[in-house]
């Protein structure tokens, strides 16, 4: 099973032939700019298309704090997303309170554990909307 840096490496090398389909769902590679280092950081994340956008969930398995990739895109929302062989620049934003319920349902349909993660933390787990630049 691919995970972490190895997942990113195999995904990028094979244009997603290895790593896009993962444990019954789909994965994209999100690249953010480190808010402290300024370095590019790539993370494999479950995604789903949503209209013309793509959705991600900043769950970190229900940890008490947001994942680093979410903190990075909050500081600099200009990101890159790779879905299979399609790499593109994009703008990231957090779903609004009005958008979130339907988007959350979309994401829990593909990864039901997101609902479990909400029971492990007091923070609201953000749904991130990625829109092509």
């Amino acid at each position: 099973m691919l995970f972490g840096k190895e997942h990113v490496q195999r995904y990028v090398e094979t244009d997603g032939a290895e790593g896009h389909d993962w444990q019954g769902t789909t994965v994209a590679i999100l690249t953010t700019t480190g808010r402290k280092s300024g370095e590019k950081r790539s993370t494999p994340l479950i995604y789903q298309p949503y209209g013309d956008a793509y959705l991600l969930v900043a769950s970190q398995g229900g940890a008490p704090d947001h994942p680093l990739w979410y903190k990075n895109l909050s500081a600099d929302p200009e990101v890159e997303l790779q879905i299979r062989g399609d790499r593109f620049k994009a703008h990231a934003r957090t779903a609004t309170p009005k958008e979130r319920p339907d988007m959350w349902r979309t994401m829990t349909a593909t990864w039901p554990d997101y609902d479990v993660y909400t029971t492990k933390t007091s923070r609201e787990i953000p749904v991130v909307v990625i829109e092509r630049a």
Side-chain angles (χ1 to χ4, degrees):
M1 178 178 74
L2 292 174
F3 187 77
K5 289 181 182 180
E6 181 188 6
H7 196 152
V8 172
Q9 180 182 352
R10 296 301 305 141
Y11 194 114
V12 171
E13 289 174 352
T14 66
D15 281 341
E18 292 182 43
H20 177 269
D21 298 333
W22 181 82
Q23 295 198 355
T25 190
T26 53
V27 170
I29 304 299
L30 175 72
T31 302
T32 60
T33 302
R35 67 193 186 290
K36 295 179 183 176
S37 70
E39 294 179 16
K40 297 293 183 187
R41 307 279 185 200
S42 296
T43 308
L45 297 166
I46 294 169
Y47 82 95
Q48 284 293 287
Y50 191 85
D52 292 334
Y54 300 93
L55 303 180
L56 310 171
V57 175
S59 67
Q60 193 160 298
D65 199 11
H66 295 307
L68 293 176
W69 64 263
Y70 181 75
K71 292 177 180 182
N72 288 342
L73 69 77
S74 294
D76 181 358
E78 303 313 311
V79 300
E80 183 178 287
L81 195 67
Q82 179 176 347
I83 298 175
R84 297 189 189 267
D86 186 15
R87 295 181 185 106
F88 55 91
K89 293 189 181 306
H91 180 82
R93 64 179 179 82
T94 302
T96 66
K98 184 177 179 182
E99 294 172 314
R100 189 179 184 283
D102 188 59
M103 292 177 170
W104 183 260
R105 281 189 294 278
T106 297
M107 294 308 291
T108 58
T110 195
W111 195 255
D113 282 352
Y114 287 137
D115 279 331
V116 175
Y117 301 160
T118 65
T119 67
K120 298 178 179 182
T121 185
S122 59
R123 71 182 170 93
E124 180 174 84
I125 296 174
V127 175
V128 176
V129 182
I130 305 289
E131 298 164 316
R132 285 182 185 263

